[in-house]
Amino acid sequence: MIRLRYVANLLPGYGVDFVPAGSDLPLVEEGAYIAASLELANPGFFSKTYTAAEQKVLTEVKGIKWTVTGEAAGTYSAMPVSTLIEALFAPYIFDRDAAGFMFQALGSNA
């Protein structure tokens, strides 16, 4: 989980051996310890795959009404999330769903 979700999105200048100020462990190692403790407490936690149909809550019974929870269209919206790991990596990773910009040249190369 750490390698596929967070290490793959580290911003330039931050490697797997990066140690944040005030920490004794490299960022990736600390994240791996947190993920391992979650997986030990809840076996299969990071193996769960969520479908769009599961990302909703029942909000009305008589008329049977469902409300979508969270952002179902995000790149990682169908993956299990640890808020602690998200907070740990947030300053150091690229957000795949952030608005961006692009330069494009118009005209011919002739």
Side-chain angles (χ1 to χ4, degrees):
M1 178 60 157
I2 299 298
R3 181 176 58 87
L4 298 174
R5 166 66 178 94
Y6 299 101
V7 172
N9 293 307
L10 283 173
L11 292 168
Y14 298 107
V16 295
D17 56 348
F18 169 70
V19 179
S23 180
D24 296 328
L25 295 172
L27 181 68
V28 173
E29 188 175 335
E30 186 174 355
Y33 279 122
I34 294 168
S37 68
L38 285 168
E39 190 68 28
L40 282 171
N42 303 295
F45 179 83
F46 289 111
S47 300
K48 174 81 172 120
T49 300
Y50 296 96
T51 65
E54 293 175 299
Q55 296 176 323
K56 62 185 178 184
V57 293
L58 183 61
T59 54
E60 184 179 317
V61 175
K62 196 170 190 173
I64 304 182
K65 183 177 179 183
W66 295 89
T67 302
V68 174
T69 57
E71 177 58 50
T75 302
Y76 298 107
S77 64
M79 292 179 79
V81 174
S82 161
T83 54
L84 187 56
I85 294 173
E86 283 285 313
L88 181 68
F89 278 91
Y92 312 108
I93 60 172
F94 173 72
D95 180 2
R96 298 273 176 201
D97 298 318
F101 64 92
M102 174 179 78
F103 289 107
Q104 185 173 5
L106 300 175
S108 66
N109 288 338

